[in-house]
Amino acid sequence: LFFLLSKIHRVIPNWGWSIIILTLLIKVVFFPLTRSSLHSMKQLQKLRPYLKDIQQKYKDNPQQLQRELMNIYREYKINPFGGCIPILIQIPIFIGFFIALRNSIFLRGAPFILWIKDLSLPDTIFKIGNFPVNLLPIFMTVTSYFQQKLTPTEPSQRGLTILMPLMFLFLFYNFSSGLLLYWVTMNVAGLIEQYFIHKK
């Protein structure tokens, strides 16, 4: 990942823009997988009442239940594990990017735009007492929240829509602005992607 980032940086000599471009390229590569995943999740959401009826009907016959469910998945071209695959694939990419950006000496002192003066440090704009106010983690939390809102989920899991972004805010609040810039870009691109896929 850092090899690709350095190649982009040769063309656009700003590490912040290089991170954004690489993030968008990653999004483009995984777009077919994301589209397929969102389609499966949306179809499952529509069929949920019907699936519950089948589960009730064949609750004493697990083999027949399995056959009926597989027939429905096949008929409506649903992958029941489709929602997990993009997340599982993106975790090692995020870890790889995290390691690449955290260990990169090139980001030290590298400015981006406006208030982001050093991509290796948090993007603190001011302090309230000793507490730093960092904008990128807040952007990350807001965009994560709206992404969760757009993602089809079970009614029982809606509490996670608020809990997960808040957990990320707490965990990543003091991370480097370079890494958070990647995450915010990924979220914004994901929101645009989800909007057009849902519209279609």
Side-chain angles (χ1 to χ4, degrees):
L1 283 168
F2 191 75
F3 171 76
L4 290 172
L5 191 63
S6 60
K7 290 289 183 188
I8 294 166
H9 185 260
R10 283 185 184 180
V11 180
I12 299 160
N14 180 299
W15 287 109
W17 288 115
S18 300
I19 289 167
I20 289 171
I21 290 164
L22 180 56
T23 306
L24 294 175
L25 287 173
I26 290 167
K27 263 297 185 194
V28 168
V29 168
F30 288 115
F31 176 75
L33 199 60
T34 306
R35 183 178 56 192
S36 171
S37 165
L38 285 170
H39 171 76
S40 290
M41 289 164 79
K42 200 77 177 169
Q43 289 289 78
L44 275 172
Q45 193 179 39
K46 286 178 185 176
L47 292 168
R48 194 173 288 128
Y50 186 52
L51 293 172
K52 282 183 180 175
D53 286 344
I54 289 173
Q55 286 167 344
Q56 192 64 33
K57 186 177 178 181
Y58 297 108
K59 64 180 179 182
D60 298 323
N61 189 344
Q63 289 180 331
Q64 184 63 30
L65 172 62
Q66 201 63 32
R67 276 195 292 271
E68 293 290 332
L69 290 174
M70 290 312 292
N71 286 337
I72 290 169
Y73 295 152
R74 203 175 297 113
E75 185 181 343
Y76 289 93
K77 296 176 183 171
I78 294 171
N79 179 356
F81 305 107
C84 306
I85 294 166
I87 296 165
L88 291 172
I89 288 172
Q90 286 180 50
I91 286 170
I93 290 171
F94 173 73
I95 292 167
F97 222 7
F98 172 78
I99 293 165
L101 295 176
R102 192 165 191 181
N103 297 332
S104 171
I105 58 166
F106 299 105
L107 296 185
R108 288 178 192 165
F112 176 41
I113 53 169
L114 302 174
W115 75 99
I116 303 172
K117 307 294 183 190
D118 187 339
L119 286 165
S120 67
L121 298 173
D123 66 318
T124 305
I125 49 169
F126 60 84
K127 288 188 177 182
I128 299 171
N130 288 324
F131 182 77
V133 176
N134 305 333
L135 276 189
L136 282 175
I138 295 165
F139 289 157
M140 181 200 71
T141 305
V142 171
T143 51
S144 293
Y145 170 76
F146 283 111
Q147 255 196 320
Q148 293 275 342
K149 286 280 282 183
L150 279 175
T151 305
T153 53
E154 293 276 349
S156 58
Q157 295 175 344
R158 280 180 191 152
L160 289 171
T161 307
I162 297 169
L163 188 63
M164 286 291 283
L166 287 175
M167 191 175 76
F168 286 146
L169 176 66
F170 177 75
L171 288 172
F172 301 124
Y173 192 76
N174 287 311
F175 271 36
S176 72
S177 50
L179 188 68
L180 286 163
L181 183 62
Y182 158 72
W183 199 312
V184 169
T185 307
M186 191 67 92
N187 283 357
V188 171
L191 279 169
I192 295 165
E193 192 177 56
Q194 281 177 283
Y195 172 77
F196 284 110
I197 291 170
H198 284 314
K199 196 175 178 183
K200 185 180 175 185

